[in-house]
Structure formats: structure tokens, C-alpha cells
């Protein structure tokens, strides 16, 4: 399971303030803590106006890279910002994201191909997200035709089947699992990721839903997620699910994490 | 999801003491609290020597029935004790349990048929539990042949695919899910249950594993479980999983439980 740390995101108010004030320490602290918590990638999203975005993204990249060597996930829908940002990274990045939208495909795919990047592909078209699993799979077929035509290997694609909130459609989880399984059957080399917490938007006690969703999605084949790596209860749920699914030899990761204090004792008690 | 409340079990030290001392209040308190927490059935297990068991079981049944009207799950491998206990119940009980062991089948099946009971059928033979899913399914075929021959309808059978601890075999979860799915495919009317907490025996932070197991088993088709209905974190995990699996219309159960305080706020926060 590759964790993409979600916290350096300018659409969050406190991060936006840090970007505006060029608060190096705040950003570097988020970077360090997420890296130490085992993130395979750190998402960086400037969340600013298109004109300001390239400068802010480069500042974020340089600020983060000064303290951690975790590869970055460049989070922008703006090809111009990405083209500039990609020159500032030390390690080959992931790009977040393409979709079935032709403009995004045309603008971003050449960058992905040229720099041999990983890329997140959203199962949506022209900003429309279907509530129908087959329609989402059809979008993925379109995207995969384009990535293959651009010479991008399937194993560099991280398909996001898209988690919509359960509060407006209780089928949202099932649509996600069905889409994931169908795409996996068609493209066995492709990876899967998801912005985990969308599933619980608008509902109370969200973290319980996020944990159950992660558990069930792992069984369906999710092998990456954009989440808060500092959420210990989510980490604990992930470790438990991996063990239940037969992926933790000799229970080593689980028992090591226990000794490291990942499990809150008041809840972890038998 | 039918919860079978596990707490009135004489193999637990405090309950054994209550049985020995005929501590009516202690047993009735367990009965009341489990019933209020939504148990569909209350397991009653005297846990005493065969000679003492019928008397103790009848005392437990009468003590519990004096305060709740939840049907009982008579937990014994002893046909003689069950034959006496079954005359003391007010409502048609469930019997826990039969297995592929011929002696148990011959002793208990006539009681199940005569009293039109539900019955838990363990996927094991002569007290041997196979680590192989196909062998477990073969045992279930044998048991189902016997229950059908005895005229017991399939929907009265609760198959327990058996949760062995992950600490000795990390495939234990997968063996369980595979067995459940195969039995469900062969006998679509059959129910499934499990003694949930066996999965985590010998491991630390057991409740995380129990919750992940319940979540994954629900997806596989589990529709009943023998568990502690007073464990609010487990209840919360169950509610979250049911919503994720599209089984909670308008999120009503989830949001009602939230208002009733089932979700511990310090963990439930988004």
C-alpha cells in the first residue's frame, strides 16, 4: 500500500496561509511528519490562481525537498504550472491528475511521457462524474487508449475510480468497488488510488466511514491512497486489514506497529 | 446483521462464578444490556461439567427469560443437556452447535427438527479444523446432507466457516472468506455466523483485527455473528460497513446511531 500524504494542500485554509506568508517551517514540518509516518509520496497542491500557481508550486517543491527526499505528487490541473514545476523536482514525480477531459489529456500526457512520470487518472469526463460504474469504466478505457498511444506503460497509471459521498448516494461505495474490479480485470498492471475522505463528506463520525472504506477497498484491490498519514486510527485500520487479507508475513508489520505505539491502547485492547 | 450476544458464557471466569453462586442480578444485567444493545439472540453457555450442565443451563434460561424476551441460543455440545434446556425456553431457540462429527449430528439433529430450531453448523469434523477451505466446504456438504435428510430447511442453518487465529496462520482470514463464499454459492438460503474474536487470539490490539474482520466478512456475506454487543467500537464499525456496502437507506441507521452516541467523538471526528 503506497500512501500519498495529503496534507500539503493549498485548498486547506492553514496551508493556504502558509503559502501566502512563505512559512517555510510550517510546510517543512508537514513534510517531515508525513515522510516519517511512511508516505511513499507527498502531494503538493498550491491551490492558488493559475497565474500565481507555478511560482507557489515551485516554492512548495523546493521547501519540501530541502528536508525530505520522498518523491512528490504534483497536484494541479494546469499543464503550464505542471511544466514549470516538473523542472524543480529532484526525483521523478507523480502527477495528480489527468481525466477523460481532452484538454487535460492533451496538455498533461506529453509531460508524463517525456518525464517518465506516474500519473493519477480520474474516472471522469469533462468534470462530470457518472453514478454508473460502466460509464466510469468507459472513461478509463478512453484514458488508457490515450496513455498507451503516448507510450506510457500501464504500470505508471494510478486509476482513481472516484469516491463520491455516501450522503447523496448510498451506492457510492459499491460503485467504487465495481469500477475498481472492472478496471483491474481489463488492465491488470494498472495501480489504483483514491482521495479517501470524499466518501464520508457531509456525514458525522467520518473517520469510521473512512476506515471501513479503506478496509473494503483494499480487499477490492486498492494499492494506494491519498490520505492523512498522521491519522493513527487509519494507519491501525490499514495494518489490521493487510493482516486479515494475508499480506503481513508472520504478523510482523502488525506486531512491530503495536510495539511502536500505533494502536491507541484504550481502543486496541482485546 | 443478526447479533448473537456472547457474554453469558460460563467459560468466562466471572460468569462461571455467577453461575456457581446463583447470582441472578449479575446474569440479568448481562441479559438486559445485551438485549438493549440490539442482540437478536442471547447465547447461553453453562460451561459446567456434563452432569451439572442441564441444571445450570435451565437456571440460566429461566433467569434470563425473567427479564428479556430476546430468543436464546443454547450453547452446548451435549445432546442430553440440550434436550432438557429446550423444554425451558419460551421462544424457539437457536442451537449452538452441530458439526460434521457423527455423534453430535445424531444427538442434536432430531432436537433441531422436532423443535423447528435454528442451528449453528461448524465447518469441522471430529473436532479437527482444516486449514484448507475446500476441506471445510466438504464438511459443510456432509452436514447439509444430514440436515436436509432430517427435514430441516436450509434457511434454519447458520454455517460458521470458522475463524482460526491469524497468529498461527496469516491465511486464516482468507480461508474463512473463501469457505463462506463457496458455501453461499452452493446453498444460497443458508445463513452465516462466526465467533468473531477467535481471529485475533494471541495477538495484540485485538479489537482492531476484530473490526477489520467483521467489515471484510460482511462484504463476503456474513449475516450474523457471535460477539460482544456492548463493544461500541465494534458496533460503530458494523454501522460504517453496512453503509459502505449500500445497506443503510438514506444513511438512517448511521446518523441515528450517531445521535444516540454510539460513535466515540474523539475517534469519530472527520
Amino acid at each position: 500500500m503506497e500512501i500519498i500524504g495529503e496534507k500539503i494542500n493549498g485548498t486547506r485554509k492553514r496551508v493556504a496561509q502558509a503559502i501566502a506568508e512563505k512559512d517555510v517551517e510550517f510546510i517543512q514540518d508537514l513534510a517531515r511528519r508525513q515522510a516519517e509516518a511512511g508516505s511513499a509520496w507527498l502531494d503538493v497542491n498550491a491551490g492558488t490562481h493559475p497565474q500565481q500557481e507555478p511560482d507557489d508550486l515551485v516554492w512548495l517543491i523546493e521547501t519540501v525537498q530541502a528536508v525530505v527526499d520522498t518523491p512528490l505528487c504534483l497536484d494541479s490541473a494546469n499543464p503550464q504550472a505542471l511544466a514549470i514545476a516538473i523542472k524543480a523536482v529532484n526525483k521523478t514525480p507523480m502527477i495528480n491528475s489527468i481525466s477523460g477531459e481532452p484538454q487535460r489529456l492533451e496538455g498533461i500526457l506529453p509531460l508524463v511521457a517525456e518525464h517518465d512520470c506516474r500519473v493519477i487518472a480520474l474516472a471522469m469526463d469533462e468534470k462530470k462524474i457518472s453514478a454508473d460504474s460502466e460509464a466510469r469504466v468507459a472513461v478509463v478505457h478512453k484514458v488508457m487508449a490515450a496513455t498507451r498511444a503516448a507510450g506510457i506503460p500501464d504500470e505508471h497509471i494510478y486509476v482513481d475510480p472516484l469516491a463520491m459521498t455516501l450522503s447523496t448516494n448510498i451506492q457510492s461505495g459499491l460503485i467504487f468497488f465495481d469500477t475498481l474490479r472492472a478496471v483491474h480485470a481489463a488492465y491488470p498492471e494498472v495501480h489504483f488510488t483514491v482521495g479517501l475522505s470524499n466518501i464520508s463528506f457531509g456525514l458525522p463520525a467520518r473517520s469510521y466511514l473512512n476506515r471501513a472504506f479503506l478496509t473494503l477497498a483494499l480487499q477490492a484491490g486498492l494499492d494506494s491512497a491519498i490520505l492523512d498519514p498522521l491519522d493513527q486510527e487509519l494507519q491501525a485500520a490499514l495494518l489490521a486489514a493487510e493482516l486479515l487479507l494475508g499480506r503481513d508475513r508472520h504478523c510482523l508489520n502488525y506486531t512491530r506497529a503495536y510495539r511502536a505505539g500505533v494502536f491507541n491502547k484504550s481502543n486496541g485492547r482485546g
Side-chain angles (χ1 to χ4, degrees), chain A:
Chain A
M1 178 76 186
E2 289 184 26
I3 292 172
I4 304 171
E6 74 181 7
K7 295 190 88 76
I8 304 176
N9 190 318
T11 64
R12 296 172 58 210
K13 200 185 273 187
R14 186 61 192 83
V15 175
Q17 185 191 339
I19 293 170
E21 296 170 357
K22 299 289 176 276
D23 183 345
V24 168
E25 270 186 49
F26 181 84
I27 298 295
Q28 291 186 337
D29 179 59
L30 284 185
R32 257 192 228 100
R33 288 195 291 143
Q34 290 187 102
E36 283 164 11
S39 301
W41 305 86
L42 295 184
D43 195 79
V44 284
N45 180 323
T48 41
H49 295 293
Q51 282 189 305
Q52 184 62 28
E53 193 183 3
D55 285 353
D56 286 341
L57 210 42
V58 168
W59 177 79
L60 277 179
I61 291 165
E62 289 173 349
T63 302
V64 169
Q65 289 184 157
V67 291
V68 301
D69 59 5
T70 311
L72 303 179
C73 180
L74 306 178
D75 186 353
S76 170
N78 174 357
Q80 288 73 38
L82 288 169
I84 293 167
I86 216 165
K87 291 181 185 145
V89 297
N90 292 338
K91 290 188 170 176
T92 307
M94 186 182 289
I95 287 179
N96 181 9
S97 55
I98 55 172
S99 70
E101 209 179 344
Q103 201 188 335
R104 241 159 124 173
L105 279 176
E106 286 157 25
I108 297 176
L109 274 194
L111 283 172
V112 175
E114 181 189 345
H115 296 274
D116 206 25
C117 301
R118 312 282 169 126
V119 65
I120 295 175
L122 310 179
M124 62 182 274
D125 222 353
E126 277 93 348
K127 308 215 169 185
K128 197 179 135 288
I129 301 176
S130 174
D132 175 64
S133 172
E134 282 175 32
R136 291 194 193 174
V137 175
V139 174
V140 174
H141 284 313
K142 195 168 78 171
V143 173
M144 293 300 298
T147 60
R148 287 178 169 184
I152 300 163
D154 286 5
E155 62 265 33
H156 283 195
I157 313 296
Y158 286 62
V159 169
D160 181 346
L162 296 172
M164 304 302 292
T165 175
L166 292 158
S167 65
T168 55
N169 184 356
I170 62 158
Q171 302 298 316
S172 293
L174 298 175
I175 296 164
F176 181 92
F177 306 136
D178 287 349
T179 305
L180 195 160
R181 290 197 175 96
V183 172
H184 176 66
Y187 306 98
E189 304 300 322
V190 151
H191 297 280
F192 293 92
T193 197
V194 65
L196 192 76
S197 60
N198 296 339
I199 198 80
S200 58
F201 185 81
L203 284 163
R206 293 184 64 179
S207 71
Y208 288 91
L209 293 167
N210 296 346
R211 265 132 54 187
F213 181 47
L214 181 60
T215 303
L216 295 168
L218 278 168
Q219 185 172 44
L222 190 78
D223 58 358
S224 162
I226 306 171
L227 52 76
D228 178 1
L230 307 181
D231 179 341
Q232 286 212 339
E233 288 288 317
L234 195 57
Q235 289 272 8
L238 173 59
L239 286 156
E242 297 274 26
L243 175 49
L244 254 310
L245 293 169
R247 301 172 188 168
D248 183 2
R249 284 190 67 190
H250 307 301
C251 312
L252 269 183
N253 291 337
Y254 197 82
T255 50
R256 270 186 200 143
Y258 178 75
R259 285 195 298 269
V262 168
F263 300 95
N264 171 330
K265 264 133 204 167
S266 68
N267 285 312
R269 210 163 37 205

